[in-house]
Amino acid sequence: MYTQSALTADDQRRKRRLRLFGAGAAVLLVVVSAGGWLLLSDRGEDAPAGGRATAAAPDEIRQTVEKIPVSPEGQVVIDHSEEGLPKSSDPAPRYAPGTWATGKVFAKGIADTIVGLKIEPHYDEKAWTLKLDGHICATSDHVTVDGRTAVVVQPGRRKGTSAAGVCDEVVFFDLNTGKKLWQKKMPSADFAYVTNTNLTLTRGVVAVAWGRGSVAYDMKNGRQLWNGTTVSKCEDKGFAGGRVLLALESCGGSPDTTYEVQKLDPRTGRTEWTYKVAGGVQDVYLPSSDPPVLAVAAGDSLVTDLITLDRRGRHLATISVNGHYDPKCGDRYFGAGYFGEVEHCDGMVVGENQVYVASKETGEIDQPENWIMAFDRRTGKTVRKFDGRPMEPVVPLRMSGDRLLVYRQSYSDIEPSAVVTWDARTDQETPFLLFHLPDDEDGNLSDPERSDIVVEQGRVFFAKRELTADGKWHKAQAAIGLGSAGLAH
């Protein structure tokens, strides 16, 4: 799926990471917290987006609050294998970006196709298949309340042409039916590749950025709302969506690149406030838009600090994660930037009051494999720790209301793996689902750097991001989903 243009960009990114790897974090907490802000909005300090709780509109981004199942005993509801795959010795795997679920359908992107599977015990029945014009280039984890999402596609073009590797097509579709709702060609996207294209969703809007340009569409009909392809000293590197829309701006050229984070009006693209990140930062990620949190690599290629802002874009706290914690920002696909990385920090979750970050694994047999630390978002101080167990690492997944969903992996044949909820205020842990994954696939499926782990409406789904054939059958398990044996279907 990759042309020379995309591969060259990938190679440059890898070389850059190698050069920076091992460099001392010379720019530490003092420098990181020295960023400034420019207020252009009169919105209240900490009023959550949308004000008081009301019924969510269909085009809002869902934030599902999970109910504890009748029984935590898990049963298989999805067991999907993909056929016709390259051999494991083939250096080019089949990429499978994008994993989503609703109450009825589990959906998986695989190469140039999205398949929808019925969520039913002991079945592997396709509900629908959506064939795309080319390979998927970017996906978003965000899904609307009524079950819609989007992908960016690299349309099939003749090899050797200048446009062969360009990712310039947006497809908006319904997860429950597999119906393509609209499809649009991105304007002036000649330099949009699988290595630099980022896609997100916010209420009523689909937004895409690729460094040299950006564009936003109305979810309702695909009408273009605005685009940012004009010449500027700063470029739209990516967006973070959800309840609000943040833009990550990179300004100037390497090695003197600086960064800004802007809150945008999603309907107009107008800037409401700007936070200027201090100099000396190598990379920035946006793991949360509301409340706004930045993950920055200061003087290193890996994330060293988390910066929390209030809802006016003013600095609240800087949390040092260098050395002890592993937020896993940009770790997918060896940091090559494939399929969008600005929002993806698989070792951390942001709640309304706390920021949860997984520690690095200890490797000590008689000690917890790792732990999750809850930091106060306003002060940056530690609040409470959730310990893993010996040989049982824990991964923060997402918020469910004011509780954190945690995956705890077990290597034991007797003790099951589990998804639990954790209340950092009371330190209360509640079992959600208990299950075993297939022994020969557990390592791949449980690794957040290699697989998507999605909890939605009482089920947990594990889905690989790369597929290669194992053995002579040219097929491999692509995804497995577990639901409660006591959950009514």
Side-chain angles (χ1 to χ4, degrees):
M1 66 180 290
Y2 304 119
T3 63
Q4 191 58 44
S5 298
L7 290 173
T8 299
D10 178 21
D11 186 55
Q12 291 173 346
R13 175 64 181 269
R14 289 173 189 264
K15 288 179 179 178
R16 175 176 173 269
R17 288 179 68 88
L18 287 172
R19 286 198 305 269
L20 292 171
F21 188 81
V27 187
L28 292 176
L29 189 146
V30 175
V31 176
V32 174
S33 62
W37 60 276
L38 175 63
L39 177 63
L40 296 176
S41 172
D42 294 327
R43 195 149 162 250
E45 190 308 76
D46 264 332
R52 65 180 63 185
T54 57
D59 62 354
E60 287 186 8
I61 305 306
R62 71 180 183 193
Q63 293 183 314
T64 311
V65 177
E66 298 292 335
K67 297 180 180 179
I68 300 299
V70 174
S71 167
E73 180 186 356
Q75 68 172 342
V76 175
V77 295
I78 289 290
D79 187 359
H80 179 61
S81 294
E82 190 69 13
E83 299 182 350
L85 296 173
K87 296 179 180 180
S88 57
S89 58
D90 192 321
R94 182 166 300 171
Y95 288 101
T99 303
W100 311 273
T102 68
K104 300 177 180 179
V105 172
F106 167 82
K108 188 79 187 86
I110 301 175
D112 59 356
T113 302
I114 303 172
V115 295
L117 305 173
K118 293 182 180 180
I119 300 175
E120 295 180 355
H122 313 302
Y123 287 92
D124 183 17
E125 183 179 350
K126 287 186 179 180
W128 50 261
T129 299
L130 177 57
K131 185 70 173 179
L132 304 169
D133 290 346
H135 288 273
I136 298 171
C137 286
T139 68
S140 173
D141 295 337
H142 296 303
V143 175
T144 64
V145 168
D146 61 357
R148 296 171 294 162
T149 192
V151 294
V152 175
V153 172
Q154 179 191 82
R157 298 183 176 97
R158 186 166 58 86
K159 292 182 179 180
T161 63
S162 59
V166 172
C167 303
D168 61 358
E169 187 175 281
V170 185
V171 177
F172 191 59
F173 64 101
D174 190 309
L175 287 167
N176 286 308
T177 65
K179 180 181 179 182
K180 184 189 297 183
L181 301 174
W182 49 258
Q183 177 176 307
K184 297 293 178 180
K185 179 178 171 60
M186 291 150 49
S188 305
D190 296 341
F191 295 93
Y193 300 116
V194 69
T195 53
N196 65 356
T197 302
N198 286 268
L199 163 73
T200 198
L201 280 67
T202 187
R203 179 175 180 174
V205 175
V206 177
V208 189
W210 56 93
R212 298 197 186 183
S214 60
V215 63
Y217 297 98
D218 191 323
M219 281 184 185
K220 184 177 180 180
N221 50 26
R223 178 176 62 89
Q224 182 177 307
L225 297 173
W226 48 268
N227 74 78
T229 55
T230 56
V231 177
S232 171
K233 67 174 183 177
C234 298
E235 299 179 339
D236 295 328
K237 186 175 181 181
F239 296 121
R243 289 182 294 196
V244 303
L245 183 64
L246 296 186
L248 174 61
E249 302 283 304
S250 61
C251 308
S254 180
D256 301 316
T257 304
T258 59
Y259 294 93
E260 298 177 356
V261 175
Q262 299 176 348
K263 181 186 176 186
L264 305 182
D265 181 322
R267 306 296 300 185
T268 65
R270 181 178 64 86
T271 301
E272 297 186 357
W273 53 251
T274 296
Y275 177 84
K276 296 182 181 295
V277 181
V281 168
Q282 305 293 340
D283 224 337
V284 179
Y285 303 88
L286 302 177
S288 175
S289 66
D290 186 47
V293 175
L294 288 62
V296 302
D300 200 341
S301 62
L302 303 177
V303 169
T304 55
D305 301 89
L306 308 177
I307 299 175
T308 66
L309 309 179
D310 69 13
R311 287 186 167 90
R312 292 186 178 185
R314 298 177 298 191
H315 179 268
L316 288 176
T318 298
I319 302 168
S320 175
V321 299
N322 196 28
H324 298 290
Y325 298 95
D326 189 8
K328 296 187 185 300
C329 302
D331 283 0
R332 300 179 180 182
Y333 309 102
F334 305 101
Y338 293 169
F339 312 114
E341 65 175 7
V342 168
E343 292 184 276
H344 293 146
C345 292
D346 296 310
M348 64 174 289
V349 170
V350 177
E352 180 62 36
N353 299 308
Q354 282 91 31
V355 178
Y356 305 86
V357 191
S359 75
K360 295 182 178 179
E361 295 186 4
T362 64
E364 300 292 334
I365 296 177
D366 58 344
Q367 298 293 325
E369 185 71 15
N370 72 335
W371 62 88
I372 297 170
M373 184 64 75
F375 296 90
D376 186 281
R377 183 177 67 85
R378 293 173 178 81
T379 67
K381 296 180 179 180
T382 57
V383 176
R384 202 180 293 271
K385 184 171 71 167
F386 181 90
D387 276 321
R389 300 170 180 172
M391 302 299 290
E392 294 186 11
V394 288
V395 179
L397 298 178
R398 70 168 176 86
M399 298 304 298
S400 174
D402 57 2
R403 298 187 174 209
L404 178 69
L405 288 166
V406 178
Y407 170 53
R408 181 168 57 222
Q409 182 185 9
S410 172
Y411 296 106
S412 169
D413 293 332
I414 300 174
E415 188 171 8
S417 296
V419 171
V420 302
T421 68
W422 180 50
D423 189 333
R425 298 169 302 174
T426 63
D427 200 27
Q428 180 183 11
E429 175 187 339
T430 305
F432 185 78
L433 281 177
L434 307 175
F435 51 86
H436 286 281
L437 293 175
D439 290 340
D440 56 342
E441 296 288 358
D442 194 356
N444 288 326
L445 292 171
S446 294
D447 186 348
E449 293 182 25
R450 291 186 283 180
S451 291
D452 297 323
I453 307 175
V454 175
V455 179
E456 186 61 32
Q457 299 193 36
R459 294 114 171 180
V460 57
F461 304 91
F462 298 83
K464 296 178 186 175
R465 299 191 189 107
E466 298 181 20
L467 303 176
T468 54
D470 186 14
K472 63 181 180 179
W473 301 111
H474 295 277
K475 68 177 184 179
Q477 186 164 46
I480 189 167
L482 295 309
S484 170
L487 182 67
H489 291 276

